[in-house]
Amino acid sequence: MNWITKFIKPKLKKLFKKQSQSIEGALWTTCTCQELIYKEDLHKNYFVCPKCDSHQKISCVDRFKIFFDNSQFEILKTPSPPDDPLNFVDTKKYIDRLSAARKLTNQDDAIMIASGKLKGINVTVGAQNFSFIGGSVGAASGEAFIHGVQHAIDNQNPFIFFSCSGGQRMMESAIALQQMSRTVLAVNELKNNNLPYIVVLTNPTTGGVSASYVMIGDLLISEPKATIGFSGRRVVEQTIGETLPDGFQTAEYVKEHGGIDMVISRKDLRNTIGTLLSILLKIKKSEVTKEDATIEAIEEPIQKTSEAV
């Protein structure tokens, strides 16, 4: 190993990493694999590292831009409950944490809801932003999710949700925990109306969200290498007193053990979900528009085609 590889290259990487993290509007960023990536290239690659295939955490708006036809969608206004019902304070006031998160993400809360078209099909879509207090679910996020479900029911749309969260928001205590049962009841109403509910689990999907509305989707799809579980690996190991296998709680491990249906790369999600919706909604081939001709409309029951999909 020569001195350039051993000394110069690591120092350059460290320098670029500091600049990319500290300078707003920097042209470069770094992946967890320490690869330097030109931001424009990262955006063109659906925010996926070209070296290690790591699927980066992205904002709700970026998610919608990637997912909807022609990046066209409408953000829905969702209910706004009181910000700090418990006047919670730990090392910092909760109200100050909310203010900082809103400034950072330009969102009112962790969950946003949008409506638009996917492969010509009207859909309602929800997403979580991990940058908003870890994508945690409190009263406002619960209201947003329920509003999204109601919009789907009112408009007879499939409901698609992209999860990315550490769980319920501790600053709202029992109020946050109540959202687990409320969101499950909302999903039940969606299913009573025979509307598809598809969940895309992204990294990470853990805690109260995985114990409530996320894991009851009609179809559970994950992005590669996403962490999926309830308690963290270390907590599980300490509880059962055993060392867990490699890859435990990764999307691939959970799929192998029957916890989810598919692991799909971000760039393929639009086509995959569009095809699945054409099956679930029994859309005939003649109803697929010319620009959406990539969808293969299959009219047989989904049970007969699940392996092919």
Side-chain angles (χ1 to χ4, degrees):
M1 183 182 290
N2 59 40
W3 66 276
I4 295 178
T5 303
K6 189 173 181 179
F7 298 106
I8 302 300
K9 192 174 181 180
K11 287 186 177 183
L12 284 174
K13 281 189 175 183
K14 189 175 181 180
L15 176 63
F16 276 112
K17 184 176 181 180
K18 285 183 178 179
Q19 289 181 341
S20 65
Q21 291 177 342
S22 61
I23 301 175
E24 187 175 353
L27 297 178
W28 296 84
T29 187
T30 53
C31 177
T32 53
C33 69
Q34 302 303 312
E35 179 75 0
L36 287 172
I37 312 169
Y38 188 46
K39 281 189 175 181
E40 186 176 339
D41 292 339
L42 185 66
H43 293 182
K44 289 178 181 178
N45 200 40
Y46 302 94
F47 299 90
V48 177
C49 176
K51 181 178 181 181
C52 69
D53 198 42
S54 173
H55 285 51
Q56 308 288 314
K57 297 179 182 72
I58 58 177
S59 70
C60 297
V61 171
D62 284 333
R63 176 71 67 180
F64 296 150
K65 287 179 180 178
I66 291 172
F67 192 68
F68 284 104
D69 290 352
N70 303 315
S71 298
Q72 294 181 353
F73 55 90
E74 177 188 0
I75 299 292
L76 304 183
K77 178 67 177 175
T78 58
S80 300
D83 275 345
D84 187 8
L86 305 178
N87 295 316
F88 185 90
V89 180
D90 49 12
T91 57
K92 191 176 182 180
K93 290 182 179 180
Y94 176 42
I95 195 74
D96 293 338
R97 293 186 186 277
L98 285 173
S99 178
R102 286 168 179 162
K103 184 178 180 181
L104 174 67
T105 63
N106 198 29
Q107 294 184 200
D108 291 332
D109 209 80
I111 290 180
M112 291 183 74
I113 307 294
S115 65
K117 290 181 180 292
L118 171 66
K119 298 294 181 177
I121 302 169
N122 290 319
V123 293
T124 303
V125 180
Q128 282 175 293
N129 189 342
F130 195 81
S131 294
F132 197 106
I133 314 181
S136 54
V137 175
S141 288
E143 291 293 341
F145 184 91
I146 293 168
H147 183 81
V149 170
Q150 189 61 55
H151 181 273
I153 293 171
D154 292 343
N155 294 274
Q156 290 296 287
N157 289 349
F159 186 54
I160 301 160
F161 192 82
F162 291 86
S163 63
C164 186
S165 176
Q168 306 308 107
R169 191 169 298 167
M170 58 168 285
M171 299 85 164
E172 296 187 25
S173 189
I175 295 172
L177 293 177
Q178 288 171 7
Q179 308 313 312
M180 295 174 66
S181 57
R182 296 181 74 233
T183 51
V184 169
L185 290 170
V187 172
N188 189 56
E189 286 302 306
L190 191 71
K191 295 186 177 185
N192 286 340
N193 282 267
N194 296 316
L195 294 169
Y197 173 45
I198 297 176
V199 180
V200 181
L201 298 87
T202 74
N203 186 46
T205 296
T206 57
V209 297
S210 64
S212 54
Y213 60 87
V214 165
M215 299 304 287
I216 56 176
D218 298 314
L219 288 164
L220 301 179
I221 303 170
S222 177
E223 292 185 337
K225 304 177 184 177
T227 298
I228 302 169
F230 181 67
S231 297
R233 180 188 180 99
R234 184 178 59 187
V235 174
V236 176
E237 286 184 330
Q238 291 175 347
T239 301
I240 66 175
E242 294 182 15
T243 300
L244 297 169
D246 293 338
F248 180 76
Q249 291 186 331
T250 62
E252 293 75 12
Y253 183 94
V254 176
K255 176 183 177 294
E256 183 181 343
H257 290 79
I260 60 176
D261 300 301
M262 305 177 188
V263 177
I264 303 293
S265 180
R266 187 174 291 168
K267 63 183 176 62
D268 298 321
L269 282 173
R270 272 178 42 82
N271 285 335
T272 300
I273 296 177
T275 300
L276 289 169
L277 287 179
S278 72
I279 297 168
L280 293 171
L281 299 174
K282 297 181 180 178
I283 297 175
K284 296 179 181 179
K285 216 166 195 176
S286 60
E287 295 176 7
V288 179
T289 61
K290 186 175 181 181
E291 66 175 353
D292 300 316
T294 55
I295 300 176
E296 275 189 51
I298 304 173
E299 297 181 6
E300 286 86 0
I302 190 169
Q303 291 85 350
K304 294 184 179 180
T305 60
S306 58
E307 291 185 1
V309 175

